Amino acid sequence: MPAGRGDKCEICYWKITLDKRIHINLSAFSDANIKNNFIVYSHWLEHKLGPKKASLLINKHVLFFINYENFSNRKQIDEFIITPKSNIKIKSYKLVNLWISENQIKEFKKSTIGKIKELDSIKKILSEVKEQSQGHKVLMQYFAKLVMKENIGSTTLRSIRLALRPACDLLKTAQYYNLDLPDQKVLIKYLSTTPGQYSSINGFVNFLNSSYQIKLDIKSKEIRKSIEIQQRKSIEVRLINITKKLRADPNNVIFRERWITLAMLFFHDCKLSKKEVKKASSKVFPLQKGIEIVVKNTSYFLPKL
């Protein structure tokens, strides 16, 4: 017998340990169905990995079941977020999800699990701004406002997550410059590096202006110019990359259509739909120093590849 196990063999020891941990964890549940599913899952895990690994993992995996029960019984999302037990990191529970999928456990709704995943992501975002700081206070106030909208059905958890991401990043940028709240210079700096967040940050800017009277101007000429420069640089990089691909594979239709889309955007500031690109790709005429392309009965010159 292994040392420290008494008169029990290795397998027996871990079986007994697993049963003890299952029994102890059952006290965390009030819902009989969730409790029963936890027992079934524990034995499935034992069969899948053996009693030792199951014993070592079960105290971690019980959090999935606890938080599923907590979420199902709660109406206020903000309460769930700030409850210590809600830190479940559901994406890491691959084995739990495998068990649900293999056994088609109806009690665990995909929609509810999806919401918990979103909540996990939201919790991570909220934790990125230093606690006790003015920025963290502001972010929590903005979150509370978004939750009120979710409670009446005018927004979703996904939309809340997408709104919090740029808000958090803007506040972190302000903290980097030792500011409690972002000023116009911080806003310009943030959008100059992340122009794609222009629309997403708009709601938070309006919130700051109305709640703290700091008068951020998201429509300023400087911001618009900065965004245009960054977007043009992005288009140029993508055009260079697709040009390389098309040179290596000149007969690739997908590459050619993508090249036309980006070239028209870069050289003529002309955005084409997929349908327009397909039509244009059939109306390309070679010239001495480039090609002529016809779009909506208008001819455009594009340089050679």
Side-chain angles (χ1 to χ4, degrees):
M1 300 293 171
R5 303 281 190 260
D7 59 352
K8 301 178 184 68
C9 68
E10 179 84 2
I11 294 176
C12 295
Y13 169 81
W14 285 111
K15 277 181 173 291
I16 292 170
T17 301
L18 177 62
D19 288 340
K20 285 181 179 178
R21 290 178 180 176
I22 293 171
H23 180 72
I24 291 170
N25 282 320
L26 289 178
S27 63
F29 302 109
S30 57
D31 187 294
N33 287 330
I34 299 292
K35 183 183 292 188
N36 182 62
N37 273 303
F38 173 68
I39 294 171
V40 173
Y41 170 73
S42 299
H43 293 304
W44 175 88
L45 191 65
E46 178 186 7
H47 177 74
K48 194 85 172 174
L49 302 179
K52 181 178 180 179
K53 285 188 177 180
S55 296
L56 297 173
L57 288 173
I58 201 62
N59 284 345
K60 175 185 175 183
H61 288 194
V62 70
L63 291 176
F64 170 89
F65 296 87
I66 291 173
N67 284 281
Y68 188 93
E69 182 181 72
N70 286 345
F71 180 81
S72 300
N73 294 336
R74 275 190 172 86
K75 292 182 180 180
Q76 297 297 323
I77 293 170
D78 51 344
E79 289 180 9
F80 182 85
I81 283 285
I82 62 176
T83 302
K85 288 182 179 179
S86 68
N87 189 18
I88 61 172
K89 297 182 180 178
I90 193 170
K91 291 178 183 178
S92 66
Y93 294 143
K94 293 180 181 178
L95 286 167
V96 181
N97 287 318
L98 179 62
W99 169 71
I100 292 171
S101 177
E102 281 187 359
N103 297 277
Q104 298 181 343
I105 310 298
K106 294 180 180 179
E107 286 85 348
F108 295 95
K109 297 177 181 178
K110 286 184 178 180
S111 59
T112 302
I113 293 175
K115 288 179 180 179
I116 298 176
K117 286 182 180 180
E118 291 289 2
L119 284 170
D120 185 41
S121 298
I122 288 170
K123 189 176 181 71
K124 288 176 183 176
I125 293 171
L126 294 176
S127 68
E128 288 181 24
V129 179
K130 297 175 184 176
E131 283 195 43
Q132 310 304 323
S133 67
Q134 178 69 8
H136 188 264
K137 178 184 174 182
V138 170
L139 189 62
M140 293 303 292
Q141 288 174 344
Y142 184 52
F143 170 62
K145 181 180 179 180
L146 295 172
V147 167
M148 289 176 64
K149 290 184 177 181
E150 200 277 342
N151 286 337
I152 62 174
S154 63
T155 191
T156 64
L157 288 177
R158 182 177 182 275
S159 295
I160 290 177
R161 172 175 60 81
L162 293 175
L164 286 175
R165 178 72 273 165
C168 173
D169 291 341
L170 181 61
L171 289 168
K172 285 162 66 178
T173 304
Q175 287 184 344
Y176 177 82
Y177 290 103
N178 297 316
L179 296 172
D180 289 332
L181 295 173
D183 57 14
Q184 187 68 18
K185 288 182 179 180
V186 168
L187 181 61
I188 292 169
K189 181 69 177 176
Y190 171 71
L191 287 174
S192 68
T193 56
T194 55
Q197 293 286 15
Y198 179 83
S199 297
S200 299
I201 199 67
N202 199 37
F204 184 56
V205 168
N206 290 337
F207 169 79
L208 289 173
N209 287 340
S210 62
S211 301
Y212 293 91
Q213 292 80 44
I214 53 178
K215 298 181 181 179
L216 296 176
D217 184 7
I218 198 168
K219 296 180 180 179
S220 70
K221 290 182 179 180
E222 194 170 358
I223 285 178
R224 289 186 177 278
K225 185 178 179 180
S226 176
I227 288 174
E228 286 173 5
I229 291 171
Q230 291 302 318
Q231 287 178 336
R232 186 163 177 79
K233 285 181 179 178
S234 175
I235 293 168
E236 183 179 16
V237 170
R238 288 153 59 199
L239 180 59
I240 290 170
N241 289 335
I242 198 66
T243 299
K244 290 177 181 177
K245 291 180 180 180
L246 190 55
R247 283 173 178 169
D249 187 5
N251 295 320
N252 190 303
V253 176
I254 295 175
F255 290 167
R256 178 163 291 278
E257 290 181 354
R258 188 64 185 150
W259 183 85
I260 289 173
T261 300
L262 292 170
M264 288 294 293
L265 198 55
F266 184 77
F267 293 108
H268 298 287
D269 197 25
C270 179
K271 190 173 183 179
L272 302 179
S273 66
K274 288 184 178 180
K275 188 176 180 180
E276 288 170 338
V277 171
K278 285 187 180 295
K279 283 185 178 180
S281 63
S282 64
K283 297 179 180 180
V284 176
F285 307 98
L287 300 174
Q288 188 175 358
K289 294 184 178 180
I291 60 172
E292 179 188 5
I293 187 168
V294 179
V295 179
K296 295 179 181 179
N297 299 319
T298 303
S299 295
Y300 295 90
F301 173 80
L302 294 176
K304 284 185 176 180
L305 286 171

